[in-house]
Amino acid sequence: MLSEAVDAYGNDEFGAARRKLLKAKELSPRASAVRELLGLSAYHSREWGEALAELRAYRRLTGDTTHMPVEMDALRALGRGADVEKTWERFVGLGGNRPTSAEARVVYASYLLDQGRAADAWRVTNPSRIPHDAKPYELRVWFVAARAALALGEIPAAKQLTEAIRRLDPDMTGLGDLMAGIATERRRRS
């Protein structure tokens, strides 16, 4: 059953994977792999509450913080801002590998931007340096940092980050909109 669910998940058939994993969970509720994949399948199926419960169960079973950014995103979707804040603080205390830490910053800073807290989002995402060989997860942080800089009216910083992203990943989703926003703001100011 788990193998079939993994295949369905790998084929982006999240609903089918979720149904198979719900059955697998009945047979083995403490299997961390089942809880993890069920949580991710529920997340991709926009079943936010279920995703949150399953990913938290996975974290309790394993101690792994890898999916805490997904937990925060599910909380955002559920409109539970105070819990986003608590989960962020818990993640900061527990830590994670570099890609997970970057994704947590992306999700939390995006939440802060949604709340009109651009200065806080900037503090969370502002890169200390902009290397020429950045990893994709770093580019995602830069993207949110550029959005925060734009919201703060810091056009030079937003432009610098956007140009660095464009150099490394010219097809990044949302980059065109970000560049257009910067151009609009520059025209408005001149």
Side-chain angles (χ1 to χ4, degrees), residues 2 5 17 41-42 55 76 91 104 149 151 175:
L2 180 57
S41 296
L55 292 173
R76 277 179 69 203
F91 179 80
L175 185 60

Side-chain angles (χ1 to χ4, degrees), residues 99-170:
T100 301
S101 294
E103 190 62 22
R105 290 172 40 216
V106 165
V107 174
Y108 185 59
S110 296
Y111 158 77
L112 292 170
L113 285 170
D114 293 346
Q115 301 301 306
R117 296 169 54 191
D120 291 333
W122 176 250
R123 277 191 287 281
V124 169
T125 56
N126 180 12
S128 57
R129 61 186 196 88
I130 302 176
H132 292 287
D133 59 347
K135 306 282 187 219
Y137 59 83
E138 292 173 301
L139 300 183
R140 289 178 43 76
V141 174
W142 296 356
F143 182 84
V144 180
R147 288 181 53 219
L150 181 59
L152 291 168
E154 297 291 338
I155 305 307
K159 186 171 180 353
Q160 179 185 21
L161 288 163
T162 302
E163 287 301 315
I165 294 166
R166 190 174 63 78
R167 184 182 71 250
L168 294 168
D169 184 3

